[in-house]
Amino acid sequence: MRYLITGATGFIGRHLARHLVERGHHVTALVRRDGRVFGSLTVRGDLVTGEGLAAAVRGVDRVIHLAGVTKAADPRLYALVNTVGTERLLAAVAARPEPPRLVYCSSLAAAGPGRRRHEDDPPAPVSAYGRSKLGGELALREGADRAPAVVVRPPIVYGPGDREFLPRLATAVRAGLLPAVGRPGPRHYSLLHVDDLCRALLTAADSGAPGATYHVSDGVEHLWDDIGATAAEVLGRRPPRVVHIPLRLALTVARTLGGASALNPGKVAEAAHPAWTSAVGRLPFGPCVPLAEGLRTALAP
Ligand SMILES: NC(=O)c1ccc[n+]([C@@H]2O[C@H](COP(=O)([O-])OP(=O)(O)OC[C@H]3O[C@@H](n4cnc5c(N)ncnc54)[C@H](OP(=O)(O)O)[C@@H]3O)[C@@H](O)[C@H]2O)c1
C-alpha cells in the first residue's frame, strides 16, 4: 500500500516511516527541507502555504497526518499549522477523485485534562495547543462528506529520539527532583510508547471508522512519582522527590523563558492540572510496551 506521512521528519514520523517500510509499504514523506526519511520518497511541501500538498497526496492510499507544532514562540502558530494546515491537507485529499483515508494524530490535549477521559466526553482543552489540535479535528469532522478521516488522540508519547518528555524526565531524575506545577497532591498521566502509537495509527488506518475519534494509551494510569521512580531505576539513580512549584511562580518563569521553550505559559496551563489520563479507548489495539521496558530501551546508557 502507498502511504503519505506528514511530519515524517519529526520524532513520531521517523518511527512511523520505519514501521511502514518494514511492513513492505511504500512511503512518501512530506518534508519542508531537503533531507532523507528512512526508506521513503520525499515531496517538498508546507501545510501553512499549501505548497506541495496536491503532489504529495497523488497516488497514495492512506495519509497519516503527524505534522504539527507542539511548542511555539507565537501562540498563533498553533492554529496556523495545526488547524489551518489540517484544513489545507483535507482540501488536497478531498480533491482526489477517490479521496484516500486520512488518519489525524491529534492529542489528549484536545480532549482536555481529567482522569480516564473518554472519547465521547465533551472536549475542554486548556491551552492554545490543545485548542488548535481540536480545531484540526473539527475541520475534519466538518469535511467528513469530502474525505474519510479518523482521529487518534495520544497522551504523552515517549521513546528513542524523543526530544521533549524523556530528556526533561532524565534531567529531573539526575537532579533528584521531579517538578510538579500547582498544589501538592497526586498526579496521574497516560503514556504511550512511540512503537505502540505507530501500531495504533496503522490500526486506525486499516480499521478505524471514518468520523470516529479514538483515545489510545498503554492502559495504565501512571502516578508521576512512579514514572520518576521507574526512570530512576533505569538510570541507576535514587527515586526523585516530587517538588511542587506554585502556579504563579511557574507562570512567571514561563513568561520570562518565552513561548518556544519547553516551559511556556501553555505548557504550564496544562501542567497545572493534576490528571491527564484517558480511559481505554474503542480502537481495537493492544499496547505491547510497558513503561519499564520502554524507558529501558530509550534511556539506558
Ligand atoms: N510527542 C508527543 O508526546 C505527542 C503527543 C500527542 C500528540 N502528538 C502529536 O503528534 C504529532 C507529531 O509529534 P512529534 O512529537 O513527532 O512532533 P515533532 O518532532 O515536533 O515533529 C513535528 C513535525 O511536523 C513538521 N511540521 C511542522 N510544521 C510544518 C508545516 N508548516 N508544514 C509541514 N510540516 C510541518 C515538522 O517538520 P520540520 O522537521 O520541517 O520541522 C516535523 O516533521 C504532532 O501533531 C503532535 O501534536 C505528539
Side-chain angles (χ1 to χ4, degrees):
M1 212 166 262
R2 299 202 74 87
Y3 278 79
L4 168 69
I5 309 178
T6 72
T9 51
F11 159 52
I12 297 168
R14 290 191 178 277
H15 284 273
L16 184 65
R18 182 176 45 78
H19 272 257
L20 285 169
V21 171
E22 284 173 0
R23 288 173 194 214
H25 297 295
H26 296 276
V27 180
T28 300
L30 182 79
V31 295
R32 288 195 289 179
R33 286 171 279 271
D34 284 336
R36 292 229 295 266
V37 175
F38 180 77
S40 311
L41 183 79
T42 55
V43 172
R44 285 279 284 270
D46 194 307
L47 288 172
V48 173
T49 60
E51 170 215 338
L53 299 184
V57 299
R58 201 169 295 141
V60 302
D61 307 299
R62 305 249 197 271
V63 177
I64 310 232
H65 177 31
L66 300 174
V69 167
T70 56
K71 58 179 190 194
D74 180 348
R76 286 172 299 187
L77 201 59
Y78 293 117
L80 197 59
V81 178
N82 299 341
T83 304
V84 178
T86 301
E87 286 166 3
R88 292 208 199 294
L89 181 66
L90 170 72
V93 167
R96 288 263 316 272
E98 278 189 47
R101 180 178 284 216
L102 196 163
V103 176
Y104 175 45
C105 185
S106 182
S107 168
L108 190 56
R115 290 188 69 180
R116 299 187 196 94
R117 298 281 291 164
H118 191 270
E119 287 110 339
D120 294 335
D121 292 339
V126 294
S127 62
Y129 168 68
R131 288 186 288 275
S132 71
K133 294 300 288 186
L134 182 62
E137 293 185 12
L138 295 176
L140 297 178
R141 200 165 304 151
E142 278 162 23
D145 55 336
R146 295 192 287 141
V150 179
V151 172
V152 175
R153 286 182 182 156
I156 297 166
V157 182
Y158 71 98
D162 159 18
R163 288 166 295 206
E164 296 293 330
F165 175 69
L166 282 186
R168 286 208 304 279
L169 178 63
T171 302
V173 166
R174 289 192 181 102
L177 298 172
L178 206 53
V181 174
R183 291 202 194 100
R187 288 190 152 46
H188 297 86
Y189 295 100
S190 284
L191 295 171
L192 189 61
H193 189 272
V194 66
D195 283 333
D196 277 333
L197 174 59
C198 291
R199 286 186 271 271
L201 291 167
L202 298 186
T203 304
D206 286 341
S207 50
T213 297
Y214 297 106
H215 283 191
V216 290
S217 77
D218 67 7
V220 180
E221 275 200 303
H222 297 279
L223 277 164
W224 192 213
D225 327 39
D226 292 342
I227 296 170
T230 309
E233 202 180 324
V234 169
L235 293 168
R237 301 283 175 141
R238 287 198 180 155
R241 188 163 55 86
V242 176
V243 280
H244 291 275
I245 302 167
L247 177 57
R248 213 179 271 190
L249 174 63
L251 276 173
T252 306
V253 175
R255 286 193 193 109
T256 311
L257 289 177
S261 79
L263 187 71
N264 63 43
K267 295 287 170 217
V268 169
E270 290 173 358
H273 290 269
W276 284 92
T277 71
S278 52
V280 173
R282 282 189 290 244
L283 189 71
F285 135 85
C288 301
V289 188
L291 180 63
E293 186 191 322
L295 288 182
R296 218 174 355 261
T297 52
L299 281 181

